[in-house]
Amino acid sequence: MNKQNTDIKHISAYREQMGPEYEKLHPEIQKRFDFSTTNNIAFIGKGTMDNIWNGNKFAVFILKLLSKTNILFPRVGQNIEYEIHNYPYLDKFNREVHSMNRVFFFPDKEQRFDGTATYSQTKKHIVEYLGLDHRMVFEMGLSAEDGAIRFTSGRQFAFVGGLKLPIPKLVRGDIELLEWFDDTEQKFYLDLSVKSKLFGPLFGFTGWFNAEYIDFRGQKIPNKFKPTREEIKE
C-alpha cells in the first residue's frame, strides 16, 4: 500500500459529490459517511438483516456466479447477523478509495458483498468496483431524501480480458439503497434492492446496525477485505 501524502487534503467522496445537498442529510448520516484519508476515520456497523431475499431461478443462477467473487449471493434468510466495514486508504494507483465490505453471518457460512469506491475526478461522481477482483464497476448516484441518503446505480461495466465492456441497460442489475438514522431507536436502517428490467427482482435485504468509529491513522485495511486485484479504468 502506498504511503499517504499528508500534503493532500481529501474530503469525503459523498460530501464532494453531493455538495450543499450533503447538509440536508441527518447529522448521524453525515457523520457516517464522513471518512477520508485526511480524517482517517473508519466505520464499522454491526446489526441484523431482518430479511434477505432473491428472485426467480434465473436470478439465483446469476447470484451463484457473482458470489464466487463476493458480488452478492443466492442465500435468503431472516434475522441474519450483519456487519459493514468502511476503510479509507490510497490504492496502488494513489487514488483516494474506501472499502465497502458487507458480511452476512448465516448459521453455517459467511456470505460477502464487497466493493471499493472512489470519487472520479473525470466523471465527477463516485464509481464503485464490485468484488475483491474489481471485475465490475458502476456509477453511483446520490441524493438526500428526508434526511436519508439514497444510492442509485447508473451505468455498469464489466472488465473482460483487459477490455471495459458496457452491461446493457436491459439486463444489468440496477441497485437502489436507502439508508437512514432513527432517532428513537438510535440505529441506522437500510433497504437495498437489485432489479433487472428484463429479469425482474434479483436480490435485496432490509435491516439495521449500530455504529462504531475507528481511528484509522497508521493502519491498513484488513487483509481479508483487501482487493485481490485493483482496476484503474473507471
Side-chain angles (χ1 to χ4, degrees):
M1 187 180 303
N2 294 327
K3 184 178 180 180
Q4 295 180 2
N5 186 345
T6 55
D7 294 330
I8 299 176
K9 301 300 182 183
H10 297 281
I11 66 171
S12 157
Y14 303 90
R15 186 182 293 275
E16 187 167 9
Q17 177 163 329
M18 296 182 72
E21 191 177 10
Y22 191 83
E23 305 302 322
K24 297 180 181 179
L25 299 173
H26 188 287
E28 290 294 332
I29 293 291
Q30 292 187 42
K31 181 180 178 181
R32 152 101 176 85
F33 289 100
D34 191 22
F35 42 76
S36 70
T37 57
T38 296
N39 63 24
N40 279 303
I41 295 174
F43 179 90
I44 298 177
K46 297 181 179 181
T48 299
M49 288 300 103
D50 299 318
N51 185 44
I52 302 173
W53 57 267
N54 60 33
N56 56 33
K57 292 182 178 180
F58 183 80
V60 171
F61 172 74
I62 295 297
L63 294 171
K64 285 181 179 179
L65 294 178
L66 294 175
S67 68
K68 294 180 180 180
T69 53
N70 291 356
I71 306 175
L72 304 181
F73 51 85
R75 302 287 297 272
V76 298
Q78 288 77 43
N79 301 317
I80 303 299
E81 291 186 22
Y82 167 82
E83 291 183 3
I84 172 74
H85 294 250
N86 302 128
Y87 300 102
Y89 64 100
L90 299 182
D91 68 6
K92 73 176 184 179
F93 305 112
N94 211 40
R95 293 181 301 182
E96 169 90 354
V97 302
H98 59 273
S99 71
M100 305 285 284
N101 307 109
R102 308 160 185 91
V103 188
F104 302 80
F105 298 93
F106 287 85
D108 61 333
K109 184 181 180 181
E110 287 184 15
Q111 296 284 173
R112 295 260 296 275
F113 178 16
D114 292 319
T116 307
T118 185
Y119 182 81
S120 170
Q121 296 295 337
T122 301
K123 296 183 175 183
K124 300 303 179 185
H125 55 67
I126 295 171
V127 297
E128 182 174 346
Y129 299 95
L130 298 180
L132 292 184
D133 61 358
H134 290 192
R135 291 297 179 184
M136 296 176 65
V137 67
F138 71 86
E139 300 172 352
M140 184 186 295
L142 300 172
S143 61
E145 190 173 300
D146 297 324
I149 186 169
R150 181 174 290 279
F151 300 79
T152 306
S153 65
R155 294 187 302 169
Q156 299 178 13
F157 302 88
F159 300 105
V160 181
L163 299 176
K164 176 185 172 185
L165 305 177
I167 300 175
K169 190 173 182 179
L170 184 65
V171 300
R172 74 188 187 197
D174 292 317
I175 302 169
E176 286 278 347
L177 169 62
L178 187 68
E179 191 168 315
W180 66 98
F181 185 80
D182 187 286
D183 287 307
T184 301
E185 298 291 335
Q186 290 291 295
K187 295 177 181 177
F188 291 90
Y189 286 82
L190 76 166
D191 184 353
L192 177 142
S193 65
V194 184
K195 299 178 181 179
S196 165
K197 292 184 181 299
L198 181 61
F199 304 115
L202 300 177
F203 178 84
F205 50 81
T206 57
W208 61 270
F209 55 90
N210 293 311
E212 180 181 359
Y213 297 93
I214 306 269
D215 185 344
F216 203 56
R217 287 175 293 183
Q219 299 190 52
K220 296 182 178 180
I221 181 172
N223 285 334
K224 68 177 181 178
F225 294 138
K226 186 177 181 180
T228 57
R229 171 184 175 275
E230 292 179 320
E231 176 62 57
I232 186 63
K233 300 184 186 73
E234 299 177 346

